Amino acid sequence: MNLAQMKSMVFSITDYNPDVQTYQDEVRRIINEVYDDFFSSRPWTFSQKEIDIYTQADITVDDAFITTTSPQSNQSHYIENVGAIANDTRNEGSILQISGATTPTDDGEYFIDSCDDLTHLYVSKKAIYQSSAFVTTTTPVTVTSKQRYITLPPDCVEPMGVTVRDPTVTTGPGPFGPITELSRRDDAEMALWIDQVGTPRSWVPYDNVPGGELDVTDFPPMPGDLTVTSIACPAAEAWPAGDYEFRLAYRFRGHIGPIGEPVSISIAGGLGSFKPRFTTRNTTLSGMHGLHKHIFFNIVNITSNGYSDEFIRDMNAYSMAVSPVPTAPGTGTIVGTQFYIPDVNTSIDTPPDYLGGVNSSDQALRTVPRAPDFTEGTYWRIRLHPRPAYYMPIRVRYIRRSNTLIADTDTPESPPDTHRYIVYRACEELFTKHNALPQAQLYKQKADTEEKHLAMRWLTQRAANYVKKGFRVGGVGYKPFRRLVQLP
């Protein structure tokens, strides 16, 4: 069943279907809450996902220079002449080790906050509590970037396993099988050397930033952080006349944070061609660098054909041949061809060749994919031990989140026999909401029965969820069968 059919079944069971948009939205919200909770609450076979993630090789630069930010900040520092590290934004969030500094307190480990151009980067002290002030020097130092923590995709609810299985691995040890999970307590009790390099034999999961350092969730978008206006432009760059909503999310150390509230704009039709201009705040005024801006939009209404949808689309999803040009003072530049606004820039136009030129066509805008519904800024991370200092793929299996059902044609990412359960559980919630407790109890029982049937089909994996009890050989002869007992 798609969303429209599921809502129709709910309305039929509850015998209530008012032509009121707020109630329709409420039913959709309840269906999505039930669906999301059901999908990721247990290790269903259909909610598990396997992906290959490539580790980053260590990079060492011997002639880097260190300085500080302007204004002065003890937590954000400027490293020059590190092109081998700065020209790849995937190094954001990695560890940078400095050695050979004139002042011993400058040596140590830092987080890479920002790779904003091809020659320099900003870092912040890893141990920020009671750390000494940063001392600048013109004496060359040695810096090494290390990927100690591997960030898992934002749809990861919980990691389940890590292996190396890719037969094409040509560096490092090659494919060798499973890697054993260690809890953080085990890791601490064994005091594993955190920077040991070699063939990974174990992995440690982290459900937040290790050490409690600043994360992207510490920077939620606030009202007024984003202003959108329409400006005149060539016809090939023009957006179609209509109403739009834009949203801001901050990106820090390579991670996208929670999406803010919508900012509405109307692009006029008739004479002239127009496109959006985005004005944000300069996030470097406190001396901290690396807080970039990420833009999302949705189409409220296209004047020419009345098209509209509720999909939040990611402007960063397409690359461009020409980097956006800031319209206000700022020295930040964009590495690569993805659309985002650097931390120092306060105003920037939609790139001239965005989508190859929108050319007043809503078809171009509708090709921009939907943003993940789970963009909340929280990420699982894992640490391999020993840490591979080379480029190699590891395979990660995890329980994933589901996408929200928005359009009436959206269908749950679970087998068809699970849809009835979602409907029954939604009816239970609705009957409880309207204080119809006998009906709520009836559909609770129906939903519980459906869930048991689903567990037998989609949860039962003998290798993972069953254990064999012992058997005895007695006077009645050998019993070849063992009883299987399901684990909770």
Side-chain angles (χ1 to χ4, degrees):
M1 289 185 283
N2 58 28
L3 177 59
Q5 293 168 329
M6 297 174 73
K7 289 194 299 183
S8 177
M9 188 172 178
V10 169
F11 294 145
S12 176
I13 291 174
T14 58
D15 198 23
Y16 185 60
N17 184 14
D19 188 18
V20 179
Q21 188 60 43
T22 54
Y23 185 78
Q24 300 276 339
D25 293 342
E26 177 71 4
V27 171
R28 183 178 67 176
R29 182 189 63 81
I30 290 176
I31 289 176
N32 273 298
E33 286 184 354
V34 170
Y35 169 48
D36 181 63
D37 179 68
F38 164 72
F39 192 89
S40 58
S41 61
R42 305 175 73 178
W44 305 101
T45 56
F46 51 80
S47 67
Q48 298 177 34
K49 185 176 181 179
E50 284 191 0
I51 63 169
D52 284 336
I53 300 178
Y54 284 82
T55 61
Q56 292 287 100
D58 287 5
I59 303 175
T60 299
V61 178
D62 295 322
D63 54 352
F65 298 91
I66 56 179
T67 182
T68 189
T69 60
S70 179
Q72 176 73 34
S73 171
N74 287 342
Q75 280 124 26
S76 188
H77 313 303
Y78 186 75
I79 312 296
E80 295 183 87
N81 198 32
V82 284
I85 302 173
N87 60 11
D88 190 346
T89 57
R90 290 178 300 177
N91 289 319
E92 291 183 348
S94 294
I95 302 296
L96 189 80
Q97 179 177 332
I98 298 179
S99 58
T102 304
T103 304
T105 55
D106 286 348
D107 288 340
E109 290 189 339
Y110 298 76
F111 276 115
I112 299 177
D113 294 336
S114 177
C115 300
D116 275 349
D117 63 20
L118 302 178
T119 59
H120 76 269
L121 47 82
Y122 285 96
V123 299
S124 55
K125 191 76 172 180
K126 190 173 185 298
I128 62 175
Y129 300 104
Q130 298 181 351
S131 61
S132 303
F134 200 73
V135 180
T136 63
T137 178
T138 57
T139 303
V141 297
T142 299
V143 298
T144 302
S145 67
K146 302 177 289 186
Q147 188 190 36
R148 178 170 298 157
Y149 305 105
I150 300 174
T151 301
L152 302 186
D155 65 340
C156 176
V157 175
E158 183 179 2
M160 301 180 66
V162 178
T163 58
V164 175
R165 303 175 65 183
D166 194 321
T168 64
V169 174
T170 57
T171 58
F176 57 86
I179 304 175
T180 305
E181 178 182 2
L182 292 178
S183 68
R184 294 174 67 175
R185 176 178 177 178
D186 293 336
D187 176 43
E189 289 180 346
M190 290 188 289
L192 298 177
W193 183 28
I194 200 169
D195 204 37
Q196 181 177 348
V197 175
T199 299
R201 297 300 184 190
S202 59
W203 63 280
V204 182
Y206 294 84
D207 57 352
N208 52 22
V209 179
E213 289 87 357
L214 286 175
D215 199 7
V216 69
T217 51
D218 296 310
F219 307 101
M222 303 300 291
D225 282 5
L226 173 66
T227 303
V228 187
T229 56
S230 65
I231 61 165
C233 65
E237 304 172 22
W239 284 39
D243 301 321
Y244 302 87
E245 288 181 343
F246 292 89
R247 291 170 168 83
L248 171 69
Y250 287 111
R251 196 186 81 183
F252 186 58
R253 295 175 181 166
H255 302 148
I256 300 175
I259 299 177
E261 293 299 314
V263 175
S264 300
I265 178 180
S266 294
I267 294 182
L271 299 177
S273 301
F274 302 90
K275 66 177 183 179
R277 169 178 289 178
F278 308 100
T279 301
T280 58
R281 64 184 179 90
N282 184 347
T283 57
T284 67
L285 297 180
S286 65
M288 188 195 75
H289 288 252
L291 196 60
H292 303 140
K293 302 107 177 186
H294 202 102
I295 304 295
F296 302 84
F297 76 94
N298 71 283
I299 303 171
V300 177
N301 179 65
I302 299 296
T303 304
S304 60
N305 55 22
Y307 176 82
S308 64
D309 60 41
E310 298 180 63
F311 302 145
I312 298 177
R313 304 176 188 272
D314 184 359
M315 288 194 70
N316 189 256
Y318 280 105
S319 60
M320 304 157 293
V322 180
S323 296
V325 178
T327 58
T331 58
T333 57
I334 295 179
V335 176
T337 56
Q338 300 301 118
F339 177 73
Y340 69 89
I341 305 176
D343 48 13
V344 72
N345 295 139
T346 58
S347 188
I348 204 167
D349 292 345
T350 303
D353 64 335
Y354 182 66
L355 299 176
V358 178
N359 202 23
S360 299
S361 170
D362 65 300
Q363 295 296 323
L365 298 178
R366 289 163 64 178
T367 62
V368 179
R370 293 160 59 173
D373 302 308
F374 29 76
T375 302
E376 299 172 353
T378 55
Y379 296 83
W380 277 86
R381 297 166 174 86
I382 60 174
R383 194 188 88 240
L384 299 179
H385 178 82
R387 178 178 60 83
Y390 36 77
Y391 182 76
M392 65 175 289
I394 60 170
R395 181 161 298 181
V396 180
R397 182 167 65 98
Y398 60 88
I399 300 174
R400 66 185 178 93
R401 290 187 178 95
S402 60
N403 282 308
T404 303
L405 306 176
I406 298 177
D408 282 345
T409 53
D410 285 349
T411 303
E413 300 174 277
S414 56
D417 59 348
T418 65
H419 300 175
R420 187 183 296 108
Y421 164 81
I422 298 172
V423 170
Y424 287 165
R425 194 67 80 187
C427 289
E428 175 196 346
E429 296 291 334
L430 281 169
F431 281 130
T432 303
K433 177 182 176 68
H434 295 291
N435 203 30
L437 301 184
Q439 291 90 336
Q441 183 63 27
L442 172 63
Y443 279 91
K444 180 182 184 303
Q445 295 174 355
K446 284 179 172 287
D448 290 344
T449 301
E450 287 290 330
E451 188 173 14
K452 290 179 181 178
H453 293 160
L454 296 175
M456 294 300 295
R457 172 173 289 184
W458 302 111
L459 193 61
T460 299
Q461 299 180 31
R462 185 167 52 189
N465 297 289
Y466 283 81
V467 294
K468 294 180 179 179
K469 280 202 168 183
F471 64 91
R472 293 182 300 174
V473 178
V476 295
Y478 173 70
K479 295 181 180 180
F481 298 104
R482 303 178 184 181
R483 193 174 75 175
L484 297 178
V485 180
Q486 186 176 15
L487 297 176

